[in-house]
């Protein structure tokens, strides 16, 4: 016969008993809700719990239980607001015109409420009725993560801490919320600057627009209508001399405009390509760009070197692998190489790039195809013509889309189904 392990049985029973006791304890300690009730004898409101026990007699015109703690209720009497606890004690007398948001300060262990008196706002503790911030402000915002609150007085903004101490006087036209770096943007007399959480002015209020620092602690700023870059100390990294905002990319280059002419600089302000071109341009993924100078177009590389001189009426793309560019001269399009040699003569109304050794070209209102020597290989009869891919191209003929091969013959594509 198998031996019974008495010790294991006793341990199991003890665990079951503890579980039952715990459940009974939780049941006994169930949360009892506090509810307002209407006293028909006094025609007033009081408090009772969910078991029906009267906590306060009916003597108020209105009662609202504060859900954040469940221990206090807002009461209204003779058009004034106050606060009572569940025992009926008035922790805040009924003398306020209005109440706003209720805040529970966990690390301080007390509940506060925004209170209004004589059209001014302050903060009062709901526990003992202590005035934390006197009712003297036109507006009070919510506390931020640094324990500071923005206040408004006579259309000017400042900041105070949770004790009511003035951190920044109410002198600014605008104060933003403090960001993760504990800095706030401010505006004074129409100019913008930056302050820290102690109220110290880190960047003086002299810039035209609000600004923020990026992850590298730099910011674009505008001064007198001109743009530059500063660091967190206010040091000018790039002087405020450019006409437009910057657009730095992953390569840390940005197009800039100076005196109506465009160029490119890096994040140190070094001029990579001088500001001499008529229109804004971008360096493509292959570091080449179409540029306009004196109304004529060409192509430059990322150093500013002219690959195709600015002498054409238009430039549309540069194939850096083959060194070919589609260019327009006197209203007609052709293809040249990077030395300027004419590969395809300037006689077409539109020209595509070579794919599978063929390029779509337009003459008049119709499209056809030429080979790399410029010889016509597919007649000019199509309304639209796409690029060749794996030996076929999609074209439109008499309103219908079809696919042709490299000899211009219509081909039929078969779909394979699993």
């Amino acid at each position: 016969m198998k031996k019974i392990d008495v010790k294991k049985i006793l341990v199991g029973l003890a665990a079951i008993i503890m579980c039952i006791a715990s459940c009974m304890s939780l049941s006994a300690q169930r949360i009892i809700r506090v509810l307002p009730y209407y006293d028909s004898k006094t025609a007033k409101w009081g408090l009772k719990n969910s078991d029906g026990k009267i906590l306060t007699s009916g003597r108020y015109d209105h009662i609202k239980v504060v859900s954040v703690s469940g221990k206090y209720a807002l009461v209204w009497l003779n058009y004034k607001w106050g606060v009572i606890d569940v025992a009926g004690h008035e922790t805040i007398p009924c003398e306020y015109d209005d109440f706003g948001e209720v805040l529970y300060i966990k690390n301080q262990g007390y509940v506060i409420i925004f209170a209004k008196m004589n059209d001014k706002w302050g903060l009062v503790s709901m526990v003992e009725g202590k005035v934390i911030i006197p009712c003297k402000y036109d507006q009070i915002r919510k506390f931020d993560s640094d324990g500071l609150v923005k206040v408004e007085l006579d259309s000017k903004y400042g900041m105070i801490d949770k004790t009511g101490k003035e951190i920044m006087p109410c002198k600014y036209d605008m104060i933003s919320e403090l960001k993760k770096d504990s800095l706030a943007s401010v505006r004074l007399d129409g100019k913008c600057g930056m302050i820290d959480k102690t109220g110290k002015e880190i960047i003086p209020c002299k810039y035209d627009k609000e600004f923020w620092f990026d992850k590298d602690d730099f910011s674009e700023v505008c001064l007198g209508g001109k743009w530059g870059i500063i660091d967190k100390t206010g040091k000018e990294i790039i002087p405020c001399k450019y006409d437009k905002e910057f657009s730095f990319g992953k390569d840390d280059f940005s197009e800039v405009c100076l005196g109506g002419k465009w160029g490119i600089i890096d994040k140190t302000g070094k001029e990579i390509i001088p500001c001499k071109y008529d229109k804004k341009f971008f360096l493509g993924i292959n570091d080449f760009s179409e540029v306009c100078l004196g109304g004529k177009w060409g192509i430059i590389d990322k150093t500013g070197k002219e690959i195709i001189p600015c002498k054409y009426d238009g430039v549309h793309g540069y194939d850096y692998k083959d060194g070919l560019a589609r260019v327009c001269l006197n209203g007609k399009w052709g293809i040249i190489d990077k030395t300027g040699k004419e590969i395809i003569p300037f006689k077409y109304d539109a020209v595509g790039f070579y794919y599978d050794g063929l390029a779509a070209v337009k003459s008049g209102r119709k499209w056809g195809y030429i080979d790399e020597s410029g010889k016509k290989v597919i007649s000019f009869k199509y309304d639209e013509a796409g690029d060749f891919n794996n030996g076929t191209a999609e074209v439109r003929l008499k309103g219908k889309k079809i696919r042709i091969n490299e000899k211009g013959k219509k081909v039929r594509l078969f779909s394979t189904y699993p």
Side-chain angles (χ1 to χ4, degrees):
M1 184 176 177
K2 190 176 180 181
K3 187 178 179 180
I4 298 172
D5 193 334
V6 178
K7 186 176 179 181
K8 285 185 178 180
I9 293 174
L10 290 174
V11 169
L13 286 172
I16 293 169
I17 291 168
M18 287 176 68
C19 235
I20 294 170
S22 175
C23 291
M24 290 175 67
S25 174
L26 287 172
S27 177
Q29 294 176 15
R30 68 185 179 85
I31 297 173
I32 299 174
R33 295 174 61 202
V34 177
L35 304 168
Y37 78 95
Y38 182 72
D39 189 337
S40 57
K41 291 180 181 179
T42 62
K44 299 285 184 179
W45 290 84
L47 279 182
K48 66 178 181 179
N49 64 26
S50 52
D51 288 338
K53 181 182 177 181
I54 302 300
L55 302 175
T56 62
S57 60
R59 60 178 183 269
Y60 296 102
D61 300 324
H62 184 67
I63 291 182
K64 182 180 179 182
V65 177
V66 178
S67 59
V68 73
S69 67
K71 297 179 181 179
Y72 301 94
L74 310 184
V75 291
W76 195 39
L77 183 62
N78 299 327
Y79 303 100
K80 296 292 181 181
W81 286 95
V83 173
I84 61 172
D85 59 21
V86 291
H89 301 129
E90 277 192 2
T91 58
I92 299 177
C94 292
E95 60 184 21
Y96 291 94
D97 303 324
D98 198 4
F99 283 140
E101 187 177 4
V102 177
L103 300 175
Y104 180 61
I105 313 299
K106 291 182 180 179
N107 58 346
Q108 300 294 324
Y110 61 81
V111 183
I112 59 176
I113 190 167
F114 290 86
K116 186 179 184 182
M117 182 184 288
N118 299 325
D119 274 339
K120 299 293 181 181
W121 288 90
L123 278 175
V124 184
S125 167
M126 293 179 67
V127 180
E128 72 276 3
K130 178 184 176 182
V131 175
I132 298 169
I133 299 173
C135 294
K136 66 176 185 177
Y137 297 103
D138 300 325
Q139 281 192 58
I140 298 182
R141 307 291 184 186
K142 189 176 179 179
F143 283 104
D144 61 24
S145 57
D146 290 299
L148 301 178
V149 63
K150 183 165 68 173
V151 291
E152 180 187 351
L153 183 60
D154 298 329
S155 299
K156 296 292 182 180
Y157 292 92
M159 277 194 175
I160 58 177
D161 66 17
K162 56 195 172 191
T163 68
K165 180 184 176 183
E166 189 175 74
I167 304 300
M168 306 165 207
C170 290
K171 69 174 186 177
Y172 295 104
D173 304 320
M174 180 279 297
I175 297 180
S176 72
E177 303 298 327
L178 285 169
K179 299 297 182 180
K180 289 182 180 179
D181 55 7
S182 294
L183 295 179
S185 179
V186 292
R187 188 185 301 119
L188 182 62
D189 298 328
K191 296 296 182 180
C192 295
M194 196 78 71
I195 57 175
D196 65 15
K197 64 181 180 181
T198 69
K200 181 182 177 183
E201 207 166 81
I202 303 300
I203 309 293
C205 292
K206 67 177 185 177
Y207 295 103
D208 303 342
K209 298 178 183 292
E210 188 178 350
F211 57 91
W212 295 102
F213 291 102
D214 61 20
K215 60 182 177 62
D216 298 317
D217 293 338
F218 295 105
S219 179
E220 297 180 21
V221 289
C222 183
L223 181 63
K226 300 294 182 180
W227 290 87
I229 288 180
I230 59 172
D231 65 15
K232 265 191 174 180
T233 68
K235 180 184 176 182
E236 207 172 67
I237 305 301
I238 298 176
C240 293
K241 67 178 184 178
Y242 294 102
D243 304 336
K244 306 287 185 181
E245 296 178 63
F246 304 102
S247 54
F248 285 101
K250 292 180 180 179
D251 55 5
D252 288 339
F253 291 153
S254 174
E255 302 79 26
V256 289
C257 183
L258 181 63
K261 298 294 183 180
W262 289 89
I264 288 179
I265 62 170
D266 65 17
K267 267 199 169 180
T268 68
K270 181 183 176 183
E271 201 170 76
I272 306 300
I273 298 174
C275 294
K276 67 177 185 178
Y277 295 102
D278 303 341
K279 297 181 183 293
K280 187 176 183 179
F281 60 93
F282 304 92
L283 287 174
I285 56 173
N286 300 309
D287 294 331
F288 294 97
S289 181
E290 301 163 12
V291 291
C292 181
L293 180 63
K296 296 294 182 179
W297 289 86
I299 290 176
I300 60 172
D301 66 15
K302 66 179 180 179
T303 68
K305 179 184 175 183
E306 271 193 356
I307 305 300
I308 305 294
C310 293
K311 67 177 186 178
Y312 297 99
D313 302 330
V315 176
H316 194 185
Y318 176 66
D319 188 338
Y320 72 99
K321 291 180 181 177
D322 298 326
L324 301 179
R326 293 177 287 181
V327 293
C328 180
L329 190 61
N330 300 321
K332 293 295 181 179
W333 287 84
I335 293 180
I336 61 171
D337 66 15
K338 60 185 177 182
T339 67
K341 180 183 176 182
E342 190 178 280
I343 305 300
I344 301 299
F346 295 97
K347 65 178 185 177
Y348 296 107
D349 297 302
V351 175
F353 273 127
Y354 283 103
Y355 292 91
D356 291 353
L358 298 178
V361 292
K362 186 179 183 182
S363 181
R365 300 178 65 180
K366 297 297 180 179
W367 288 82
Y369 291 87
I370 58 175
D371 64 16
E372 291 177 341
S373 68
K375 180 184 175 182
K376 180 182 73 173
V377 293
I378 298 176
S379 300
F380 293 88
K381 62 180 180 179
Y382 301 105
D383 303 319
E384 294 176 6
D387 297 322
F388 270 88
N389 183 23
N390 294 325
T392 66
E394 186 178 86
V395 295
R396 184 181 291 274
L397 180 64
K398 297 179 180 179
K400 291 184 178 181
K401 283 186 177 181
I402 60 172
R403 190 164 283 275
I404 59 173
N405 64 18
E406 293 165 335
K407 293 182 179 180
K409 300 294 184 180
K410 182 179 177 181
V411 296
R412 185 176 180 184
L413 298 180
F414 294 93
S415 298
T416 302
Y417 295 93

